[in-house]
């Protein structure tokens, strides 16, 4: 390879970003890893405990349960988010007033403070005073335990997750769709392709980079955020909706076991990264650069 | 022209420098906005009396308060004053200043005399021996709130203001719940918030301690410990208490005020809530049922002054703490506005609201009966770290995932681990 | 047909938002009522009045706007630049550096809170609005979005510009940036939303009431015992209006260019 300067190699473009990335993401993660080897409650002095946190973690059945719940949660939510946001993206990709205005309604859930949105959902689906069950009983149905039945609770929470993220992912699809040149479609029209064929053979393959973004970001979001779950079920019934980040968070700031929580976060981080890496590899199927 | 400008500038500078030099500016942290609003009102009164002091009250979210305070202490930048609740106070004491000597100087009471003037259950939090590292703000105690209309409809008398003087026995209480539920055709009878303290307030009636005063696990030494847990869990299984409250954190206030339940196992703070919700004429506090004993475990708020290293500000902060510690000065003003109970024995407050006076009487009885251990156990560091495990396990018990025996075993292991890590 | 589907979906999506707005107009008594009412029986502005009287809403609004706008400008610059460098750069460890960015996508902010606090304190950013901006300007989600977008720009565009004698800076400013208008538009909207709804950073950084942001002030309403729902709902409604304006504004500012200018590839 020819030696290039930092400008010629375009390395210069990544420097500013990485300075901030290092200071506020990498460095805290490194510190977090170090904390994983200590027992600490913030207020008393740290105690070095070696691998104890990790070995305790291996035996902690609720921790592993939370990892499993996270997986279920993510793999339920991601396909639904993908389909709905793609549908919305396709339907709203035009730059006319109707589309522009309607986009607001779908992006709105992503903007509204989760405290308010989560609470509204909780009230809608509450077993005893929720509007949904009230309407169901009025219509002669039995009230449904939307949030108190271990299986159903996960579905309910996933639904809210979809509601929050679909608009965000829709925006990514719109950006991707708008970058596709009309020429592709025109050529296909001449060949007599139907709308569905155009979508399947032109749009989807050309959206490959966007698809990877949407899938990776959905996985990351579902694996990272716990606010929705926390507000709607506080992780219950039992541990049925306690996702891994919520479990770790409660260990850190309810039980004040910072070291243990750090060790747990590291494990979760590694697992999720491996999954996301695999997903991207399958999607990319080799080098993607400059391919449109 | 230039000279005039120069003069004005200098004059302004002088005013600004001296203006701020005269006023000591203090910061007070508060554990939520509703408490901060009451504190701001009394701070205003204080500032009228002491124009040389300015106190800014900053509220933080209650759920994140300990998190925030831990970081503030870690960073070495504590506020001059802080309000905290009984739940969080024991974890902070090492950073708080001892105002015992100031109490002696300002109130003319020895630290011990001062602490003895409060309820036994409050005293535990204030500091050991001659140390006073916090003074009480509001005081709360547990009671049982009932929906008056529903009880009238079911024809049930309630103690002490509803045609009955003695508390119900546990068996009577369960019958009351069943009756009020069936007579009013409500889906459930009683609300209990998803919290370990609520369970503790119930377990205390059995005279069962989960931990002793040093934080050692002792629950397994009680013969009827499993029975007590099972009775609690059965309340949910028999649909007397909405399982949703413990399974998905459904709001007990909404259920109670919305008429889904007729009873709320809560506490004296419901007085303020009922006024906020304009429900004050529909509800009333009652005695808790008697099992082995009957009393209300306590909680509440405290005011403390952390070590900041700034002598002048520490002095001004202490002065404010003394003003609040004095029943004849700031304290009464505070309690009137917060609509809570006084933490001092034989201190009656004229709330200017007959209902509040009546309710305070009920709560005072419950508070006076409470033994000191009911507070001492919860003031241990072990308890504060065990609470989440306890409530989660009970939720698992309600959904029949674990037995009472397994719970006790699990709590024992956790308590021992916490103790070994401390 | 298409419009019908969209409108039906929009109505479904809007149910909780709609209910948030109507409930914010109820009194506390009515909020606790069962069965719940959809429209307030009696419109009560109590929640709004309390928010305006008891809290310094204009100040929180100004602080949050300041933080969100400044961060958004820097975020867009950092992410577009980094995305371009990692997608189109020619240097060793490019793949590795990309993975390093991606791994941070999975980090829960609350979990690295304590180390982050220590770093922010060391940098002297405590209790300042800059302490909410500087640690947040780089966002892994934004960077990843930019990398993926930049990968889609054909290399031939860059090569032909090079052949025409353009330097690296010119390629970036004259070819890449105009092609990135939709990316910039969406990143601006995203970044603004993120900073607007940020809770963890304000919680650990801000110590004085004058520097509170909307989200932090909103969270303080969640008390130990009672929760003033009408106030929380009113506060939330007041908090989303500015983001709506920003959304429509950015949409028009940047996205218009693409459909009209024909800058597609």
């Amino acid at each position: 390879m020819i030696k290039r300067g930092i400008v010629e190699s375009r390395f210069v473009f990544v420097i500013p970003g990485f300075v901030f990335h290092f200071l506020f993401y990498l460095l805290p993660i490194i510190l977090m890893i170090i904390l994983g080897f200590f027992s600490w409650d913030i207020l008393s002095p740290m105690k070095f405990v070696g691998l104890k946190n990790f070995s305790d973690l291996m035996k902690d059945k609720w921790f592993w349960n939370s990892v499993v719940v996270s997986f279920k949660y993510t793999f339920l939510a991601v396909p639904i988010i993908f389909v709905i946001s793609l549908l919305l993206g396709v339907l709203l990709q035009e730059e006319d007033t109707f589309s522009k205005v309607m986009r607001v309604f779908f992006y709105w859930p992503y903007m509204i403070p989760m405290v308010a949105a989560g609470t509204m959902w909780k009230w809608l689906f509450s077993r005893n005073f929720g509007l949904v069950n009230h309407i169901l009983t009025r219509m002669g149905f039995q009230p449904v335990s939307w949030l108190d039945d271990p299986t159903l609770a996960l579905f309910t929470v996933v639904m809210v997750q979809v509601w929050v993220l679909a608009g965000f992912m829709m925006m990514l699809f719109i950006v991707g769709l708008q970058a596709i040149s009309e020429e592709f479609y025109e050529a296909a029209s001449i060949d007599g392709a139907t709308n569905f064929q155009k979508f399947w053979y032109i749009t989807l393959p050309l959206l490959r980079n966007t698809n990877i973004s949407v899938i990776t970001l959905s996985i990351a979001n579902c694996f990272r955020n716990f606010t929705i779950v926390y507000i709607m079920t506080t992780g219950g019934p039992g541990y049925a909706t306690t996702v891994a980040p919520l479990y770790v968070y409660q260990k850190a700031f309810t039980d004040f076991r910072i070291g243990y929580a750090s060790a747990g976060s590291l494990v979760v981080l590694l697992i999720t990264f491996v999954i996301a890496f695999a997903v991207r590899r399958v999607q990319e199927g080799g080098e993607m650069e400059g391919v449109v | 022209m230039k000279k005039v400008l120069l003069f004005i500038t200098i004059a302004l500078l002088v005013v600004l420098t001296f203006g701020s030099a005269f006023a000591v500016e203090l910061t007070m942290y508060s554990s939520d906005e509703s408490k901060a609003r009451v504190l701001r009102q009394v701070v205003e009164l204080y500032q009228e009396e002491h124009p040389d002091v300015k106190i800014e009250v900053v509220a933080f979210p209650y759920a994140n308060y300990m998190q925030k305070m831990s970081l503030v202490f870690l960073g070495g930048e504590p506020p001059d004053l802080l309000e905290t609740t009984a739940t969080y106070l024991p974890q902070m004491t090492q950073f708080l200043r001892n105002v015992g000597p100031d109490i002696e100087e300002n109130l003319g009471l020895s630290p011990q005399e001062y602490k003895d003037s409060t309820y036994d259950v409050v005293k535990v939090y204030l500091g050991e021996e001659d140390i006073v590292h916090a003074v009480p703000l509001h005081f709360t105690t547990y009671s049982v709130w009932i929906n008056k209309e529903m009880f009238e409809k079911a024809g049930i008398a309630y103690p002490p203001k509803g045609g009955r003087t003695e508390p119900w026995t546990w068996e009577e209480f369960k019958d009351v719940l069943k009756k009020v539920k069936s007579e009013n055709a409500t889906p459930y009878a009683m609300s209990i918030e998803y919290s370990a303290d609520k369970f503790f307030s119930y377990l205390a009636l059995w005279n069962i301690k989960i931990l002793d005063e040093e934080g050692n696990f002792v629950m397994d030494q009680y013969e009827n410990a499993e029975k007590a847990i099972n009775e609690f869990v059965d309340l949910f299984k028999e649909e007397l208490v909405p399982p949703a409250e413990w399974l998905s954190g459904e709001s007990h206030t909404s259920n109670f005020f919305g008429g889904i339940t007729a009873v709320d196992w809560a506490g004296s703070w419901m007085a303020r809530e009922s006024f906020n919700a304009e429900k004050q004429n529909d509800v009333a506090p009652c005695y808790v049922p008697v099992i082995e004993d009957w009393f209300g475990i306590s909680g509440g708020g405290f005011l403390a002054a952390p070590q900041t290293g700034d002598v002048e500000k520490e002095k001004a902060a202490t002065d404010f703490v003394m003003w609040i510690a004095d029943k004849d000065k700031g304290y009464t003003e505070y309690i009137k506005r917060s609509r809570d109970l006084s933490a001092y024995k034989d201190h009656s407050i004229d709330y200017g609201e007959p209902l509040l006076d009546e309710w305070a009487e009920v709560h005072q009885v419950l508070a006076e009966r409470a033994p000191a251990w009911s507070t001492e156990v919860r003031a241990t560091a072990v308890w504060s770290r065990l609470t989440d495990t306890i409530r989660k396990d009970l939720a698992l018990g309600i959904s029949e995932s674990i037995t009472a025996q397994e719970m006790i075993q699990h709590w024992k292991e956790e308590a021992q681990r916490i103790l070994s890590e401390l | 047909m298409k419009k019908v589907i969209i409108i039906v979906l929009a109505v479904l999506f809007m149910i909780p938002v709609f209910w948030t707005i109507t409930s914010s107009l109820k009194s506390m008594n009515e909020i606790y009522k069962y069965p719940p009412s959809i429209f307030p029986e009696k419109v009560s502005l109590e929640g709004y009045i309390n928010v305006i009287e008891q809290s310094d809403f204009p100040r929180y609004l100004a602080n949050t706007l300041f933080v969100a706008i400044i961060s958004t400008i820097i975020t867009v610059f950092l992410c577009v630049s980094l995305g371009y460098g990692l997608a189109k750069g020619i240097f060793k460890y490019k793949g590795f550096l990309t993975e390093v960015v991606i791994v941070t996508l999975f980090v829960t902010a609350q979990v690295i809170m304590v180390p982050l606090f220590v770093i922010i304190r060391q940098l002297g950013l405590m209790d300042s609005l800059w302490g909410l901006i500087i640690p947040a300007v780089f966002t892994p989600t934004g960077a990843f979005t930019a990398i993926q977008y930049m990968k889609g720009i054909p290399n031939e565009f860059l090569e032909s510009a090079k052949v025409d004698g353009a330097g690296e800076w010119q390629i970036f400013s004259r070819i890449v940036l105009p092609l990135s208008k939709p990316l910039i538009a969406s990143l601006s909207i995203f970044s603004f939303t993120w900073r607007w709804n940020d809770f963890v950073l304000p919680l650990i950084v801000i110590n004085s009431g004058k520097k509170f942001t909307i989200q932090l002030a909103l969270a303080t309403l969640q008390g130990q015992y009672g929760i003033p729902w009408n106030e929380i709902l009113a506060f939330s409604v007041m908090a989303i209006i500015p983001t709506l304006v920003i959304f429509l504004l950015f949409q028009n500012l940047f996205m218009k260019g693409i459909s009209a200018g024909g800058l597609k590839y």
Side-chain angles (χ1 to χ4, degrees):
Chain A
M1 208 198 267
I2 318 152
K3 270 255 175 236
R4 294 167 204 261
I6 59 161
V7 176
E8 281 70 37
S9 68
R10 295 172 187 147
F11 184 69
V12 69
F13 290 102
V14 308
I15 295 172
F18 266 106
V19 169
F20 288 95
H21 186 250
F22 176 78
L23 272 177
F24 302 110
Y25 282 91
L26 289 185
L27 201 55
I29 293 173
I30 294 167
L31 291 172
M32 180 193 87
I33 296 171
I34 297 171
L35 281 175
F37 297 91
F38 287 86
S39 163
W40 191 38
D41 67 354
I42 302 184
L43 293 179
S44 7
M46 288 189 210
K47 263 188 286 181
F48 182 76
V49 292
L51 288 168
K52 188 173 176 297
N53 286 332
F54 292 93
S55 63
D56 284 354
L57 210 54
M58 296 302 131
K59 287 179 280 182
D60 186 341
K61 81 170 171 182
W62 293 122
F63 171 71
W64 293 106
N65 180 71
S66 75
V67 174
V68 173
V69 172
S70 267
F71 271 103
K72 286 189 198 162
Y73 183 77
T74 306
F75 289 112
L76 269 172
V78 171
I80 310 176
I81 292 171
F82 187 87
V83 171
I84 293 186
S85 56
L86 179 60
L87 176 72
L88 291 174
V90 170
L91 292 176
L92 295 173
Q93 58 176 311
E94 301 303 327
E95 286 297 310
D96 51 25
T97 315
F98 177 76
S99 302
K100 278 184 176 170
V101 171
M102 293 316 274
R103 278 179 207 159
V104 180
F105 294 120
F106 297 103
Y107 190 71
W108 204 336
Y110 194 68
M111 292 191 286
I112 190 166
M114 263 326 287
V115 177
T119 306
M120 277 345 262
W121 279 107
K122 189 176 174 156
W123 284 357
L124 278 171
F125 285 114
S126 159
R127 174 77 171 68
N128 299 313
F129 56 90
L131 195 59
V132 175
N133 274 352
H134 176 66
I135 293 167
L136 284 179
T137 43
R138 271 289 190 76
M139 288 160 66
F141 294 100
Q142 282 295 311
V144 178
S145 295
W146 297 104
L147 294 167
D148 323 311
D149 177 83
T151 323
L152 202 54
L154 196 66
F155 280 98
T156 310
V157 179
V158 162
M159 199 178 70
V160 179
Q161 177 73 69
V162 172
W163 175 77
V164 170
L165 270 187
F168 175 80
M169 298 303 165
M170 169 195 78
M171 292 299 288
L172 290 182
F173 274 122
I174 290 173
V175 171
L177 285 163
Q178 288 186 341
I180 297 173
S181 168
E182 297 293 332
E183 286 161 32
F184 289 105
Y185 296 115
E186 281 159 20
S189 297
I190 295 166
D191 295 340
T194 64
N195 276 342
F196 180 77
Q197 282 171 327
K198 279 191 230 168
F199 173 76
W200 194 257
Y201 293 107
I202 299 172
T203 316
L204 263 190
L206 286 178
L207 275 178
R208 202 142 44 140
N209 283 321
T210 311
N211 293 345
I212 295 170
S213 294
V214 169
I215 293 172
T216 311
L217 291 176
S218 306
I219 295 178
N221 245 297
C222 294
F223 253 108
R224 182 181 65 203
N225 289 335
F226 60 83
T227 327
I228 296 171
V229 174
Y230 187 69
I231 294 171
M232 292 196 62
T233 64
T234 61
Y239 288 86
T241 57
T242 300
V243 287
L246 175 58
Y247 187 81
V248 167
Y249 172 79
Q250 289 182 330
K251 287 293 148 204
F253 295 112
T254 312
D255 299 357
F256 279 89
R257 299 172 71 189
I258 303 292
Y260 191 69
S262 300
S265 311
L266 179 62
V267 173
V268 176
L269 187 61
L270 289 176
I271 298 174
T272 45
F273 178 68
V274 169
I275 311 281
F277 188 78
V279 169
R280 266 182 308 127
R281 269 295 116 105
V282 171
Q283 274 279 315
E284 284 177 0
E287 261 320 273
M288 275 298 300
E289 274 167 64
V291 182
V292 167
Chain B
M1 188 60 195
K2 259 189 181 172
K3 274 184 184 168
V4 176
L5 271 177
L6 192 71
F7 178 76
I8 293 173
T9 320
I10 291 171
L12 268 174
L13 276 174
V14 169
V15 170
L16 284 176
T17 357
F18 281 90
S20 56
F22 284 136
V24 185
E25 287 182 20
L26 303 178
T27 309
M28 184 194 312
Y29 287 178
S30 166
S31 61
D32 71 48
E33 177 64 21
S34 71
K35 290 170 199 142
R37 285 180 190 169
V38 179
L39 285 167
R40 285 188 197 116
Q41 290 173 20
V42 289
V43 159
E44 213 163 288
L45 285 181
Y46 184 76
Q47 286 173 169
E48 274 168 27
E49 286 175 32
H50 304 81
D52 51 336
V53 183
K54 283 230 161 318
I55 303 175
E56 190 201 8
V57 184
V58 186
F60 289 99
Y62 183 71
N64 305 92
Y65 196 55
M66 198 55 220
Q67 218 168 313
K68 176 72 188 174
M69 292 315 297
S70 298
L71 292 178
V72 162
F73 288 126
L74 176 71
E77 286 145 353
D80 304 294
L81 291 159
L82 68 88
E83 172 270 320
T84 180
T85 62
T87 320
Y88 297 143
L89 177 64
Q91 300 169 57
M92 302 180 183
T93 49
Q94 52 175 314
F95 302 98
L96 306 175
R97 279 190 289 125
N98 173 19
V99 292
D102 305 284
I103 296 260
E104 191 135 29
E105 196 178 304
N106 287 276
L107 301 181
L109 292 169
S110 75
Q112 203 54 55
E113 284 169 335
Y114 171 73
K115 287 195 273 188
D116 285 341
S117 70
T118 66
Y119 287 108
D120 287 354
V121 282
V122 175
K123 197 164 87 177
V124 174
Y125 285 103
L126 303 183
E128 284 167 1
E129 290 158 16
D130 273 353
I131 295 171
V132 180
H133 50 226
V135 302
L137 284 170
H138 53 277
F139 176 60
T140 60
T141 187
Y142 278 73
S143 57
V144 164
W145 287 76
I146 58 116
N147 181 318
K148 286 202 288 201
E149 198 187 321
M150 287 186 188
F151 268 64
E152 269 158 35
K153 195 176 165 200
I156 303 168
Y158 51 88
K161 307 266 172 181
R164 186 190 164 105
T165 45
E166 287 302 301
W168 294 295
T169 65
W170 182 240
E171 294 306 321
E172 281 173 337
F173 185 64
K174 284 193 288 188
D175 288 338
V176 165
L177 293 181
K178 282 173 194 154
K179 193 172 176 198
V180 77
K181 177 182 160 178
S182 67
E183 291 290 321
N184 289 283
T186 53
Y188 304 96
M190 176 166 71
S191 285
I192 306 177
E193 192 194 11
Y194 177 48
S195 98
D197 271 358
K198 301 286 181 297
F199 175 67
F200 189 100
S201 74
Y202 155 83
L203 205 58
L205 306 181
W206 289 78
N207 265 335
I208 294 176
K209 299 179 188 175
I210 299 177
L211 306 169
D212 68 10
E213 290 84 336
E214 274 77 48
N216 300 301
F217 191 82
V218 292
M219 191 177 179
D220 52 352
Q221 294 164 14
Y222 293 90
E223 257 173 38
N224 48 6
E226 277 179 44
K227 183 165 184 266
I229 294 177
N230 287 331
E231 290 269 334
F232 185 78
V233 169
D234 283 345
L235 292 174
F236 295 83
K237 289 191 187 159
E238 290 168 19
E239 305 228 302
L240 291 173
V241 181
E245 289 180 2
W246 279 60
L247 297 182
S248 57
E250 200 172 89
S251 157
H252 69 108
T253 5
S254 299
N255 279 342
F256 179 58
F257 285 154
I260 306 272
T261 54
V263 181
D264 195 357
W265 187 297
S268 51
W269 59 90
M270 288 294 285
R272 184 177 49 237
E273 294 319 309
S274 61
F275 272 88
N276 288 345
E278 297 159 39
K279 298 275 183 191
Q280 69 272 26
N281 294 317
D282 308 334
V283 297
C286 309
Y287 291 156
V288 293
V290 54
I291 304 177
E292 293 289 320
D293 196 352
W294 64 282
F295 54 84
I297 70 162
S298 65
F302 297 87
L303 179 71
Q307 299 153 7
T308 60
D310 183 325
V311 181
E312 191 195 7
K313 285 188 174 187
E314 284 190 350
K315 167 88 181 53
T318 308
D319 289 343
F320 182 75
V321 175
M322 290 307 118
W323 187 71
I324 286 289
D326 195 335
K327 275 188 287 192
D328 301 328
K329 290 180 180 164
Y331 192 72
T332 310
E333 300 295 337
Y334 175 82
I335 289 296
K336 261 192 204 166
R337 286 168 178 79
S338 84
R339 291 174 166 163
D340 279 301
L341 306 169
S342 170
Y344 298 96
K345 284 185 269 192
D346 309 319
H347 179 217
S348 58
I349 306 265
D350 178 15
Y351 293 96
E353 176 67 62
L355 264 183
L356 286 171
D357 297 336
E358 188 184 313
W359 294 350
E361 277 175 47
V362 178
H363 287 119
Q364 261 154 13
V365 174
L366 284 160
E368 272 160 22
R369 295 184 53 87
W373 67 260
S374 66
T375 303
E376 279 163 345
V377 168
R378 284 179 305 132
T380 61
V382 181
W383 171 256
S384 65
R385 282 164 210 200
L386 194 61
T387 51
D388 205 44
T389 308
I390 291 177
R391 65 175 194 169
K392 278 225 163 97
D393 282 356
L394 284 165
L396 287 172
I398 292 163
S399 52
E400 299 185 38
S401 305
I402 61 171
T403 64
Q405 198 190 353
E406 284 167 331
M407 282 183 215
I408 295 172
Q409 188 55 34
H410 187 209
W411 301 344
K412 186 179 186 176
E413 284 163 18
E414 279 294 295
Q416 281 166 349
R417 183 192 54 71
I418 295 166
L419 205 57
S420 74
E421 278 178 13
L422 282 171
Chain C
M1 177 61 197
K2 191 179 115 180
K3 287 193 175 175
V4 174
I5 300 175
I6 295 171
I7 290 170
V8 169
L9 278 171
V11 168
L12 282 176
F13 265 66
M14 281 300 98
I15 290 171
V17 179
F18 175 76
W19 208 30
T20 308
I21 297 170
T22 56
S23 301
S24 73
L25 296 166
K26 292 178 188 170
S27 65
M28 275 301 274
N29 188 309
E30 205 186 329
I31 285 177
Y32 281 127
K33 220 176 68 104
Y34 184 85
S37 53
I38 296 172
F39 292 99
E41 283 160 8
K42 204 173 132 254
V43 172
S44 154
L45 292 174
E46 200 182 32
Y48 291 90
I49 291 167
N50 276 353
V51 169
I52 291 162
E53 277 182 357
Q54 300 273 0
S55 70
D56 200 350
F57 192 82
R59 191 191 281 273
Y60 306 149
L61 183 69
N63 288 344
T64 319
L65 274 175
F66 175 77
V67 170
I69 290 171
I70 304 281
S71 318
T72 299
I73 295 168
I74 309 175
T75 300
V76 169
F77 165 75
L78 287 178
C79 291
V80 169
S81 163
L82 182 120
Y84 174 64
L86 284 181
K88 297 294 173 196
I90 312 152
F91 49 86
K92 265 191 188 174
Y93 306 122
K94 199 178 76 171
F96 172 74
L97 288 178
T98 310
E99 295 303 327
V100 167
V101 171
I102 292 171
V103 76
T104 46
L105 279 175
F106 298 90
V107 177
T108 309
Q110 281 90 338
V111 169
I112 53 165
M113 185 192 246
V114 180
L116 194 59
F117 170 82
V118 174
I119 294 166
I120 292 171
R121 214 179 90 78
Q122 287 301 319
L123 293 172
L125 294 171
M126 284 301 290
D127 202 22
S128 115
L129 292 179
W130 288 102
L132 306 183
I133 296 172
I134 293 169
V137 284
F138 179 87
T139 76
T141 307
F144 181 68
T145 313
I147 295 171
Q148 290 301 110
Y149 184 88
M150 292 292 178
K151 276 186 182 171
I153 297 178
N155 286 340
E156 298 90 80
F157 280 38
L158 312 180
E159 295 302 327
S160 62
K162 217 169 201 174
V163 172
D164 293 345
E168 284 301 328
W169 301 112
Q170 283 168 318
I171 295 178
F172 183 68
S173 62
R174 299 215 185 129
I175 312 276
V176 177
L177 280 187
L179 280 173
S180 303
K181 270 191 170 182
L183 172 73
I184 294 172
S186 53
L187 276 182
S188 314
I189 293 171
F190 297 162
S191 168
F192 194 89
T193 318
W194 294 326
R195 296 292 72 80
W196 193 266
N197 286 337
D198 213 346
F199 171 66
V200 176
L201 263 185
L203 176 71
I204 64 175
V205 172
I206 298 304
N207 291 333
S208 50
K210 288 187 224 55
K211 289 167 190 143
F212 264 48
T213 62
I214 286 180
Q215 293 302 323
L216 187 55
L218 176 61
T220 62
L221 293 174
Q222 302 244 26
Q224 184 186 9
Y225 303 122
I227 298 175
W229 285 118
N230 56 350
E231 246 179 86
I232 289 185
L233 296 172
F235 207 119
S236 303
V237 172
M238 289 164 76
I240 36 178
I241 292 167
T243 47
L244 280 182
V245 175
I246 293 287
F247 184 91
L248 291 168
L249 200 77
F250 277 126
Q251 233 194 175
N252 275 333
L253 214 64
F254 295 101
M255 289 202 164
K256 211 192 287 171
I258 349 158
S259 50
L263 266 165
K264 294 196 176 185
Y265 44 85

